[in-house]
PDB file of all heavy atoms in Angstrom:
ATOM      1  N   ASN A   1     -43.280 -67.188 -20.267  1.00  0.00           N
ATOM      2  CA  ASN A   1     -44.058 -68.142 -19.475  1.00  0.00           C
ATOM      3  C   ASN A   1     -43.694 -68.054 -17.875  1.00  0.00           C
ATOM      4  O   ASN A   1     -44.158 -68.957 -17.135  1.00  0.00           O
ATOM      5  CB  ASN A   1     -43.886 -69.518 -19.995  1.00  0.00           C
ATOM      6  CG  ASN A   1     -45.163 -70.331 -19.772  1.00  0.00           C
ATOM      7  OD1 ASN A   1     -46.262 -69.823 -19.730  1.00  0.00           O
ATOM      8  ND2 ASN A   1     -45.038 -71.747 -19.678  1.00  0.00           N
ATOM      9  N   GLN A   2     -43.017 -67.060 -17.610  1.00  0.00           N
ATOM     10  CA  GLN A   2     -42.659 -66.789 -16.157  1.00  0.00           C
ATOM     11  C   GLN A   2     -43.457 -65.653 -15.623  1.00  0.00           C
ATOM     12  O   GLN A   2     -43.431 -64.550 -16.161  1.00  0.00           O
ATOM     13  CB  GLN A   2     -41.128 -66.558 -16.011  1.00  0.00           C
ATOM     14  CG  GLN A   2     -40.319 -67.671 -16.353  1.00  0.00           C
ATOM     15  CD  GLN A   2     -40.491 -68.962 -15.583  1.00  0.00           C
ATOM     16  OE1 GLN A   2     -40.501 -68.926 -14.410  1.00  0.00           O
ATOM     17  NE2 GLN A   2     -40.701 -70.115 -16.319  1.00  0.00           N
ATOM     18  N   LYS A   3     -44.176 -65.891 -14.497  1.00  0.00           N
ATOM     19  CA  LYS A   3     -44.891 -64.720 -13.816  1.00  0.00           C
ATOM     20  C   LYS A   3     -43.825 -63.587 -13.371  1.00  0.00           C
ATOM     21  O   LYS A   3     -42.979 -64.030 -12.643  1.00  0.00           O
ATOM     22  CB  LYS A   3     -45.686 -65.169 -12.738  1.00  0.00           C
ATOM     23  CG  LYS A   3     -46.549 -64.135 -12.143  1.00  0.00           C
ATOM     24  CD  LYS A   3     -47.455 -64.687 -11.140  1.00  0.00           C
ATOM     25  CE  LYS A   3     -48.439 -63.563 -10.597  1.00  0.00           C
ATOM     26  NZ  LYS A   3     -49.302 -64.063  -9.544  1.00  0.00           N
ATOM     27  N   LEU A   4     -44.119 -62.362 -13.747  1.00  0.00           N
ATOM     28  CA  LEU A   4     -43.438 -61.251 -13.118  1.00  0.00           C
ATOM     29  C   LEU A   4     -43.927 -60.818 -11.798  1.00  0.00           C
ATOM     30  O   LEU A   4     -45.177 -60.701 -11.654  1.00  0.00           O
ATOM     31  CB  LEU A   4     -43.361 -60.219 -14.171  1.00  0.00           C
ATOM     32  CG  LEU A   4     -42.683 -60.578 -15.623  1.00  0.00           C
ATOM     33  CD1 LEU A   4     -42.762 -59.286 -16.494  1.00  0.00           C
ATOM     34  CD2 LEU A   4     -41.353 -60.964 -15.398  1.00  0.00           C
ATOM     35  N   PRO A   5     -43.114 -60.652 -10.872  1.00  0.00           N
ATOM     36  CA  PRO A   5     -43.658 -60.406  -9.551  1.00  0.00           C
ATOM     37  C   PRO A   5     -44.263 -59.245  -9.315  1.00  0.00           C
ATOM     38  O   PRO A   5     -45.133 -59.025  -8.408  1.00  0.00           O
ATOM     39  CB  PRO A   5     -42.344 -60.486  -8.689  1.00  0.00           C
ATOM     40  CG  PRO A   5     -41.235 -60.282  -9.478  1.00  0.00           C
ATOM     41  CD  PRO A   5     -41.668 -60.708 -10.850  1.00  0.00           C
ATOM     42  N   ASP A   6     -44.109 -58.127 -10.074  1.00  0.00           N
ATOM     43  CA  ASP A   6     -44.658 -56.883  -9.900  1.00  0.00           C
ATOM     44  C   ASP A   6     -46.030 -56.579 -10.649  1.00  0.00           C
ATOM     45  O   ASP A   6     -46.485 -55.412 -10.765  1.00  0.00           O
ATOM     46  CB  ASP A   6     -43.729 -55.785 -10.101  1.00  0.00           C
ATOM     47  CG  ASP A   6     -42.499 -55.750  -9.097  1.00  0.00           C
ATOM     48  OD1 ASP A   6     -42.783 -56.144  -8.024  1.00  0.00           O
ATOM     49  OD2 ASP A   6     -41.433 -55.391  -9.618  1.00  0.00           O
ATOM     50  N   GLY A   7     -46.519 -57.552 -11.173  1.00  0.00           N
ATOM     51  CA  GLY A   7     -47.741 -57.447 -12.084  1.00  0.00           C
ATOM     52  C   GLY A   7     -47.591 -56.512 -13.261  1.00  0.00           C
ATOM     53  O   GLY A   7     -46.591 -56.403 -13.861  1.00  0.00           O
ATOM     54  N   ALA A   8     -48.586 -55.611 -13.416  1.00  0.00           N
ATOM     55  CA  ALA A   8     -48.669 -54.704 -14.471  1.00  0.00           C
ATOM     56  C   ALA A   8     -47.372 -53.600 -14.430  1.00  0.00           C
ATOM     57  O   ALA A   8     -46.904 -53.217 -15.310  1.00  0.00           O
ATOM     58  CB  ALA A   8     -49.939 -53.954 -14.620  1.00  0.00           C
ATOM     59  N   ASP A   9     -47.092 -53.414 -13.163  1.00  0.00           N
ATOM     60  CA  ASP A   9     -45.966 -52.471 -12.973  1.00  0.00           C
ATOM     61  C   ASP A   9     -44.655 -52.838 -13.523  1.00  0.00           C
ATOM     62  O   ASP A   9     -43.885 -52.078 -13.941  1.00  0.00           O
ATOM     63  CB  ASP A   9     -45.723 -52.132 -11.406  1.00  0.00           C
ATOM     64  CG  ASP A   9     -46.675 -51.115 -10.933  1.00  0.00           C
ATOM     65  OD1 ASP A   9     -47.276 -50.380 -11.751  1.00  0.00           O
ATOM     66  OD2 ASP A   9     -46.989 -51.090  -9.625  1.00  0.00           O
ATOM     67  N   ALA A  10     -44.411 -54.221 -13.706  1.00  0.00           N
ATOM     68  CA  ALA A  10     -43.288 -54.779 -14.343  1.00  0.00           C
ATOM     69  C   ALA A  10     -43.116 -54.335 -15.816  1.00  0.00           C
ATOM     70  O   ALA A  10     -42.051 -54.191 -16.352  1.00  0.00           O
ATOM     71  CB  ALA A  10     -43.298 -56.377 -14.316  1.00  0.00           C
ATOM     72  N   LEU A  11     -44.270 -54.032 -16.489  1.00  0.00           N
ATOM     73  CA  LEU A  11     -44.320 -53.676 -17.903  1.00  0.00           C
ATOM     74  C   LEU A  11     -43.589 -52.236 -17.972  1.00  0.00           C
ATOM     75  O   LEU A  11     -43.181 -51.824 -19.154  1.00  0.00           O
ATOM     76  CB  LEU A  11     -45.706 -53.688 -18.293  1.00  0.00           C
ATOM     77  CG  LEU A  11     -46.366 -54.885 -18.490  1.00  0.00           C
ATOM     78  CD1 LEU A  11     -47.907 -54.751 -18.866  1.00  0.00           C
ATOM     79  CD2 LEU A  11     -45.760 -55.842 -19.427  1.00  0.00           C
ATOM     80  N   ARG A  12     -43.569 -51.462 -16.951  1.00  0.00           N
ATOM     81  CA  ARG A  12     -42.908 -50.136 -17.001  1.00  0.00           C
ATOM     82  C   ARG A  12     -41.435 -50.272 -17.116  1.00  0.00           C
ATOM     83  O   ARG A  12     -40.871 -49.270 -17.674  1.00  0.00           O
ATOM     84  CB  ARG A  12     -43.210 -49.332 -15.666  1.00  0.00           C
ATOM     85  CG  ARG A  12     -44.634 -49.090 -15.344  1.00  0.00           C
ATOM     86  CD  ARG A  12     -44.770 -48.279 -14.012  1.00  0.00           C
ATOM     87  NE  ARG A  12     -46.193 -48.168 -13.623  1.00  0.00           N
ATOM     88  CZ  ARG A  12     -47.014 -47.129 -14.164  1.00  0.00           C
ATOM     89  NH1 ARG A  12     -46.588 -46.334 -14.942  1.00  0.00           N
ATOM     90  NH2 ARG A  12     -48.233 -47.093 -13.619  1.00  0.00           N
ATOM     91  N   ASN A  13     -40.842 -51.309 -16.911  1.00  0.00           N
ATOM     92  CA  ASN A  13     -39.437 -51.554 -16.986  1.00  0.00           C
ATOM     93  C   ASN A  13     -39.093 -52.316 -18.298  1.00  0.00           C
ATOM     94  O   ASN A  13     -37.906 -52.795 -18.570  1.00  0.00           O
ATOM     95  CB  ASN A  13     -38.877 -52.315 -15.854  1.00  0.00           C
ATOM     96  CG  ASN A  13     -38.918 -51.446 -14.621  1.00  0.00           C
ATOM     97  OD1 ASN A  13     -38.852 -50.262 -14.570  1.00  0.00           O
ATOM     98  ND2 ASN A  13     -39.332 -52.176 -13.519  1.00  0.00           N
ATOM     99  N   LEU A  14     -40.021 -52.563 -19.172  1.00  0.00           N
ATOM    100  CA  LEU A  14     -39.823 -53.377 -20.402  1.00  0.00           C
ATOM    101  C   LEU A  14     -39.937 -52.398 -21.607  1.00  0.00           C
ATOM    102  O   LEU A  14     -40.974 -52.036 -21.965  1.00  0.00           O
ATOM    103  CB  LEU A  14     -40.969 -54.469 -20.438  1.00  0.00           C
ATOM    104  CG  LEU A  14     -40.797 -55.555 -21.478  1.00  0.00           C
ATOM    105  CD1 LEU A  14     -39.319 -56.205 -21.361  1.00  0.00           C
ATOM    106  CD2 LEU A  14     -41.911 -56.493 -21.399  1.00  0.00           C
ATOM    107  N   PRO A  15     -38.770 -52.033 -22.196  1.00  0.00           N
ATOM    108  CA  PRO A  15     -38.815 -51.170 -23.441  1.00  0.00           C
ATOM    109  C   PRO A  15     -39.572 -51.850 -24.566  1.00  0.00           C
ATOM    110  O   PRO A  15     -39.525 -53.125 -24.795  1.00  0.00           O
ATOM    111  CB  PRO A  15     -37.374 -51.046 -23.701  1.00  0.00           C
ATOM    112  CG  PRO A  15     -36.534 -51.781 -22.853  1.00  0.00           C
ATOM    113  CD  PRO A  15     -37.431 -52.493 -21.824  1.00  0.00           C
ATOM    114  N   VAL A  16     -40.195 -51.119 -25.361  1.00  0.00           N
ATOM    115  CA  VAL A  16     -40.953 -51.752 -26.517  1.00  0.00           C
ATOM    116  C   VAL A  16     -40.154 -52.325 -27.546  1.00  0.00           C
ATOM    117  O   VAL A  16     -40.439 -53.256 -28.236  1.00  0.00           O
ATOM    118  CB  VAL A  16     -41.753 -50.568 -27.173  1.00  0.00           C
ATOM    119  CG1 VAL A  16     -42.878 -50.141 -26.309  1.00  0.00           C
ATOM    120  CG2 VAL A  16     -41.057 -49.512 -27.747  1.00  0.00           C
ATOM    121  N   GLN A  17     -38.796 -52.046 -27.514  1.00  0.00           N
ATOM    122  CA  GLN A  17     -37.891 -52.681 -28.486  1.00  0.00           C
ATOM    123  C   GLN A  17     -37.734 -54.085 -28.107  1.00  0.00           C
ATOM    124  O   GLN A  17     -37.441 -54.976 -29.037  1.00  0.00           O
ATOM    125  CB  GLN A  17     -36.579 -52.053 -28.379  1.00  0.00           C
ATOM    126  CG  GLN A  17     -36.481 -50.612 -28.949  1.00  0.00           C
ATOM    127  CD  GLN A  17     -36.834 -49.589 -27.807  1.00  0.00           C
ATOM    128  OE1 GLN A  17     -37.155 -49.922 -26.683  1.00  0.00           O
ATOM    129  NE2 GLN A  17     -36.903 -48.232 -28.252  1.00  0.00           N
ATOM    130  N   ASP A  18     -38.038 -54.532 -26.894  1.00  0.00           N
ATOM    131  CA  ASP A  18     -37.853 -56.000 -26.485  1.00  0.00           C
ATOM    132  C   ASP A  18     -39.212 -56.724 -26.634  1.00  0.00           C
ATOM    133  O   ASP A  18     -39.189 -57.929 -26.373  1.00  0.00           O
ATOM    134  CB  ASP A  18     -37.448 -55.897 -24.959  1.00  0.00           C
ATOM    135  CG  ASP A  18     -36.167 -55.388 -24.764  1.00  0.00           C
ATOM    136  OD1 ASP A  18     -35.343 -55.199 -25.708  1.00  0.00           O
ATOM    137  OD2 ASP A  18     -35.776 -55.145 -23.584  1.00  0.00           O
ATOM    138  N   VAL A  19     -40.195 -56.088 -27.089  1.00  0.00           N
ATOM    139  CA  VAL A  19     -41.542 -56.830 -27.280  1.00  0.00           C
ATOM    140  C   VAL A  19     -41.943 -56.912 -28.737  1.00  0.00           C
ATOM    141  O   VAL A  19     -41.999 -55.985 -29.444  1.00  0.00           O
ATOM    142  CB  VAL A  19     -42.665 -55.945 -26.472  1.00  0.00           C
ATOM    143  CG1 VAL A  19     -43.934 -56.595 -26.619  1.00  0.00           C
ATOM    144  CG2 VAL A  19     -42.227 -55.626 -25.075  1.00  0.00           C
ATOM    145  N   ALA A  20     -42.249 -58.270 -28.969  1.00  0.00           N
ATOM    146  CA  ALA A  20     -42.721 -58.522 -30.339  1.00  0.00           C
ATOM    147  C   ALA A  20     -44.231 -58.512 -30.389  1.00  0.00           C
ATOM    148  O   ALA A  20     -44.863 -57.979 -31.490  1.00  0.00           O
ATOM    149  CB  ALA A  20     -42.267 -59.923 -30.716  1.00  0.00           C
ATOM    150  N   GLU A  21     -44.944 -58.816 -29.153  1.00  0.00           N
ATOM    151  CA  GLU A  21     -46.303 -58.975 -29.222  1.00  0.00           C
ATOM    152  C   GLU A  21     -46.871 -58.971 -27.813  1.00  0.00           C
ATOM    153  O   GLU A  21     -46.121 -59.437 -26.884  1.00  0.00           O
ATOM    154  CB  GLU A  21     -46.676 -60.273 -30.041  1.00  0.00           C
ATOM    155  CG  GLU A  21     -48.224 -60.361 -30.184  1.00  0.00           C
ATOM    156  CD  GLU A  21     -48.604 -61.527 -30.955  1.00  0.00           C
ATOM    157  OE1 GLU A  21     -48.188 -61.833 -32.103  1.00  0.00           O
ATOM    158  OE2 GLU A  21     -49.431 -62.575 -30.594  1.00  0.00           O
ATOM    159  N   LEU A  22     -48.146 -58.495 -27.567  1.00  0.00           N
ATOM    160  CA  LEU A  22     -48.688 -58.576 -26.255  1.00  0.00           C
ATOM    161  C   LEU A  22     -50.025 -59.257 -26.435  1.00  0.00           C
ATOM    162  O   LEU A  22     -50.694 -59.024 -27.480  1.00  0.00           O
ATOM    163  CB  LEU A  22     -48.921 -57.202 -25.675  1.00  0.00           C
ATOM    164  CG  LEU A  22     -47.716 -56.288 -25.410  1.00  0.00           C
ATOM    165  CD1 LEU A  22     -48.151 -54.901 -25.214  1.00  0.00           C
ATOM    166  CD2 LEU A  22     -47.085 -56.879 -24.123  1.00  0.00           C
ATOM    167  N   GLN A  23     -50.379 -60.171 -25.508  1.00  0.00           N
ATOM    168  CA  GLN A  23     -51.705 -60.819 -25.657  1.00  0.00           C
ATOM    169  C   GLN A  23     -52.422 -60.692 -24.247  1.00  0.00           C
ATOM    170  O   GLN A  23     -51.741 -60.586 -23.240  1.00  0.00           O
ATOM    171  CB  GLN A  23     -51.451 -62.277 -26.042  1.00  0.00           C
ATOM    172  CG  GLN A  23     -50.836 -62.543 -27.370  1.00  0.00           C
ATOM    173  CD  GLN A  23     -50.524 -63.989 -27.559  1.00  0.00           C
ATOM    174  OE1 GLN A  23     -50.667 -64.948 -26.600  1.00  0.00           O
ATOM    175  NE2 GLN A  23     -50.169 -64.338 -28.722  1.00  0.00           N
ATOM    176  N   TYR A  24     -53.651 -60.673 -24.289  1.00  0.00           N
ATOM    177  CA  TYR A  24     -54.418 -60.622 -23.007  1.00  0.00           C
ATOM    178  C   TYR A  24     -55.243 -62.047 -23.074  1.00  0.00           C
ATOM    179  O   TYR A  24     -55.936 -62.396 -23.967  1.00  0.00           O
ATOM    180  CB  TYR A  24     -55.425 -59.551 -23.104  1.00  0.00           C
ATOM    181  CG  TYR A  24     -56.355 -59.516 -21.812  1.00  0.00           C
ATOM    182  CD1 TYR A  24     -55.818 -59.227 -20.584  1.00  0.00           C
ATOM    183  CD2 TYR A  24     -57.614 -59.975 -22.051  1.00  0.00           C
ATOM    184  CE1 TYR A  24     -56.625 -59.224 -19.499  1.00  0.00           C
ATOM    185  CE2 TYR A  24     -58.421 -60.027 -20.849  1.00  0.00           C
ATOM    186  CZ  TYR A  24     -57.997 -59.567 -19.643  1.00  0.00           C
ATOM    187  OH  TYR A  24     -58.810 -59.632 -18.523  1.00  0.00           O
ATOM    188  N   LEU A  25     -55.306 -62.710 -21.793  1.00  0.00           N
ATOM    189  CA  LEU A  25     -56.182 -63.719 -21.537  1.00  0.00           C
ATOM    190  C   LEU A  25     -57.052 -63.401 -20.365  1.00  0.00           C
ATOM    191  O   LEU A  25     -56.632 -62.786 -19.333  1.00  0.00           O
ATOM    192  CB  LEU A  25     -55.251 -65.006 -21.074  1.00  0.00           C
ATOM    193  CG  LEU A  25     -54.185 -65.530 -22.077  1.00  0.00           C
ATOM    194  CD1 LEU A  25     -53.310 -66.584 -21.534  1.00  0.00           C
ATOM    195  CD2 LEU A  25     -54.772 -65.837 -23.337  1.00  0.00           C
ATOM    196  N   ASP A  26     -58.404 -63.694 -20.476  1.00  0.00           N
ATOM    197  CA  ASP A  26     -59.321 -63.229 -19.496  1.00  0.00           C
ATOM    198  C   ASP A  26     -58.984 -64.260 -18.320  1.00  0.00           C
ATOM    199  O   ASP A  26     -58.186 -65.171 -18.361  1.00  0.00           O
ATOM    200  CB  ASP A  26     -60.704 -63.498 -20.108  1.00  0.00           C
ATOM    201  CG  ASP A  26     -61.072 -64.890 -20.357  1.00  0.00           C
ATOM    202  OD1 ASP A  26     -60.686 -65.946 -19.710  1.00  0.00           O
ATOM    203  OD2 ASP A  26     -61.719 -65.063 -21.397  1.00  0.00           O
ATOM    204  N   GLY A  27     -59.602 -63.916 -17.134  1.00  0.00           N
ATOM    205  CA  GLY A  27     -59.358 -64.578 -15.961  1.00  0.00           C
ATOM    206  C   GLY A  27     -59.540 -66.190 -15.991  1.00  0.00           C
ATOM    207  O   GLY A  27     -58.792 -66.915 -15.351  1.00  0.00           O
ATOM    208  N   ARG A  28     -60.653 -66.521 -16.585  1.00  0.00           N
ATOM    209  CA  ARG A  28     -60.883 -68.064 -16.656  1.00  0.00           C
ATOM    210  C   ARG A  28     -59.869 -68.657 -17.531  1.00  0.00           C
ATOM    211  O   ARG A  28     -59.286 -69.758 -17.070  1.00  0.00           O
ATOM    212  CB  ARG A  28     -62.283 -68.176 -17.200  1.00  0.00           C
ATOM    213  CG  ARG A  28     -62.706 -69.711 -17.234  1.00  0.00           C
ATOM    214  CD  ARG A  28     -64.055 -69.869 -17.766  1.00  0.00           C
ATOM    215  NE  ARG A  28     -64.333 -69.180 -18.919  1.00  0.00           N
ATOM    216  CZ  ARG A  28     -65.416 -69.381 -19.703  1.00  0.00           C
ATOM    217  NH1 ARG A  28     -66.294 -70.217 -19.300  1.00  0.00           N
ATOM    218  NH2 ARG A  28     -65.635 -68.672 -20.782  1.00  0.00           N
ATOM    219  N   THR A  29     -59.391 -68.114 -18.652  1.00  0.00           N
ATOM    220  CA  THR A  29     -58.455 -68.764 -19.483  1.00  0.00           C
ATOM    221  C   THR A  29     -57.070 -68.888 -18.789  1.00  0.00           C
ATOM    222  O   THR A  29     -56.398 -69.763 -18.822  1.00  0.00           O
ATOM    223  CB  THR A  29     -58.388 -68.024 -20.816  1.00  0.00           C
ATOM    224  OG1 THR A  29     -59.627 -68.007 -21.473  1.00  0.00           O
ATOM    225  CG2 THR A  29     -57.308 -68.674 -21.735  1.00  0.00           C
ATOM    226  N   ALA A  30     -56.695 -67.652 -18.236  1.00  0.00           N
ATOM    227  CA  ALA A  30     -55.488 -67.543 -17.520  1.00  0.00           C
ATOM    228  C   ALA A  30     -55.258 -68.499 -16.308  1.00  0.00           C
ATOM    229  O   ALA A  30     -54.281 -69.148 -16.040  1.00  0.00           O
ATOM    230  CB  ALA A  30     -55.130 -66.088 -17.058  1.00  0.00           C
ATOM    231  N   ALA A  31     -56.483 -68.566 -15.561  1.00  0.00           N
ATOM    232  CA  ALA A  31     -56.532 -69.579 -14.464  1.00  0.00           C
ATOM    233  C   ALA A  31     -56.459 -71.107 -14.843  1.00  0.00           C
ATOM    234  O   ALA A  31     -55.800 -71.791 -14.269  1.00  0.00           O
ATOM    235  CB  ALA A  31     -57.675 -69.334 -13.666  1.00  0.00           C
ATOM    236  N   MET A  32     -56.952 -71.321 -16.068  1.00  0.00           N
ATOM    237  CA  MET A  32     -56.810 -72.674 -16.467  1.00  0.00           C
ATOM    238  C   MET A  32     -55.289 -72.983 -16.888  1.00  0.00           C
ATOM    239  O   MET A  32     -54.805 -74.082 -16.757  1.00  0.00           O
ATOM    240  CB  MET A  32     -57.713 -72.924 -17.634  1.00  0.00           C
ATOM    241  CG  MET A  32     -59.103 -73.012 -17.359  1.00  0.00           C
ATOM    242  SD  MET A  32     -60.294 -73.378 -18.621  1.00  0.00           S
ATOM    243  CE  MET A  32     -59.603 -73.010 -20.202  1.00  0.00           C
ATOM    244  N   ARG A  33     -54.652 -71.894 -17.339  1.00  0.00           N
ATOM    245  CA  ARG A  33     -53.266 -72.228 -17.677  1.00  0.00           C
ATOM    246  C   ARG A  33     -52.340 -72.075 -16.496  1.00  0.00           C
ATOM    247  O   ARG A  33     -51.267 -72.899 -16.504  1.00  0.00           O
ATOM    248  CB  ARG A  33     -53.014 -71.042 -18.745  1.00  0.00           C
ATOM    249  CG  ARG A  33     -51.542 -71.227 -19.447  1.00  0.00           C
ATOM    250  CD  ARG A  33     -51.355 -70.345 -20.601  1.00  0.00           C
ATOM    251  NE  ARG A  33     -50.042 -70.348 -21.051  1.00  0.00           N
ATOM    252  CZ  ARG A  33     -49.606 -69.761 -22.171  1.00  0.00           C
ATOM    253  NH1 ARG A  33     -50.350 -68.936 -22.805  1.00  0.00           N
ATOM    254  NH2 ARG A  33     -48.314 -69.804 -22.610  1.00  0.00           N
ATOM    255  N   TRP A  34     -52.476 -71.043 -15.685  1.00  0.00           N
ATOM    256  CA  TRP A  34     -51.334 -70.867 -14.629  1.00  0.00           C
ATOM    257  C   TRP A  34     -51.929 -71.040 -13.145  1.00  0.00           C
ATOM    258  O   TRP A  34     -51.194 -71.096 -12.250  1.00  0.00           O
ATOM    259  CB  TRP A  34     -50.881 -69.538 -14.669  1.00  0.00           C
ATOM    260  CG  TRP A  34     -50.008 -69.377 -15.861  1.00  0.00           C
ATOM    261  CD1 TRP A  34     -48.736 -69.873 -16.016  1.00  0.00           C
ATOM    262  CD2 TRP A  34     -50.200 -68.514 -17.024  1.00  0.00           C
ATOM    263  NE1 TRP A  34     -48.228 -69.383 -17.228  1.00  0.00           N
ATOM    264  CE2 TRP A  34     -49.148 -68.660 -17.900  1.00  0.00           C
ATOM    265  CE3 TRP A  34     -51.290 -67.707 -17.391  1.00  0.00           C
ATOM    266  CZ2 TRP A  34     -49.002 -67.983 -19.150  1.00  0.00           C
ATOM    267  CZ3 TRP A  34     -51.204 -66.921 -18.585  1.00  0.00           C
ATOM    268  CH2 TRP A  34     -49.953 -67.147 -19.458  1.00  0.00           C
ATOM    269  N   GLY A  35     -53.206 -71.383 -13.140  1.00  0.00           N
ATOM    270  CA  GLY A  35     -53.786 -71.712 -11.754  1.00  0.00           C
ATOM    271  C   GLY A  35     -54.522 -70.483 -11.178  1.00  0.00           C
ATOM    272  O   GLY A  35     -54.591 -69.379 -11.927  1.00  0.00           O
ATOM    273  N   PRO A  36     -55.134 -70.593  -9.954  1.00  0.00           N
ATOM    274  CA  PRO A  36     -55.966 -69.508  -9.449  1.00  0.00           C
ATOM    275  C   PRO A  36     -55.224 -68.258  -9.133  1.00  0.00           C
ATOM    276  O   PRO A  36     -55.928 -67.168  -9.061  1.00  0.00           O
ATOM    277  CB  PRO A  36     -56.407 -70.060  -8.060  1.00  0.00           C
ATOM    278  CG  PRO A  36     -55.608 -71.396  -7.856  1.00  0.00           C
ATOM    279  CD  PRO A  36     -54.897 -71.727  -9.168  1.00  0.00           C
ATOM    280  N   GLU A  37     -53.889 -68.079  -9.120  1.00  0.00           N
ATOM    281  CA  GLU A  37     -53.219 -66.887  -9.018  1.00  0.00           C
ATOM    282  C   GLU A  37     -53.463 -65.980 -10.076  1.00  0.00           C
ATOM    283  O   GLU A  37     -53.119 -64.738 -10.072  1.00  0.00           O
ATOM    284  CB  GLU A  37     -51.711 -67.031  -8.788  1.00  0.00           C
ATOM    285  CG  GLU A  37     -50.970 -67.740  -9.888  1.00  0.00           C
ATOM    286  CD  GLU A  37     -49.502 -67.982  -9.578  1.00  0.00           C
ATOM    287  OE1 GLU A  37     -49.238 -68.292  -8.453  1.00  0.00           O
ATOM    288  OE2 GLU A  37     -48.760 -67.904 -10.537  1.00  0.00           O
ATOM    289  N   ALA A  38     -53.845 -66.659 -11.322  1.00  0.00           N
ATOM    290  CA  ALA A  38     -54.042 -65.672 -12.561  1.00  0.00           C
ATOM    291  C   ALA A  38     -55.610 -65.428 -12.758  1.00  0.00           C
ATOM    292  O   ALA A  38     -55.912 -65.063 -13.830  1.00  0.00           O
ATOM    293  CB  ALA A  38     -53.639 -66.445 -13.643  1.00  0.00           C
TER     294      ALA A  38
END
């Protein structure tokens, strides 16, 4: 629930062993949750 500063590039430093699941939220849904920056 914390925004990573480098956007999608931050995913390059995240090994798959550390990831249980990935989810995508469209712009409208993301903006409702985190504000206009999303």
Side-chain angles (χ1 to χ4, degrees):
N1 213 27
Q2 298 295 313
K3 184 176 181 182
L4 299 179
D6 296 330
D9 282 337
L11 296 173
R12 294 181 191 276
N13 299 319
L14 190 59
V16 292
Q17 296 83 0
D18 294 345
V19 180
E21 185 175 308
L22 296 164
Q23 298 175 350
Y24 175 76
L25 301 177
D26 63 42
R28 184 173 50 168
T29 305
M32 287 185 342
R33 185 168 177 181
W34 289 292
E37 67 183 28

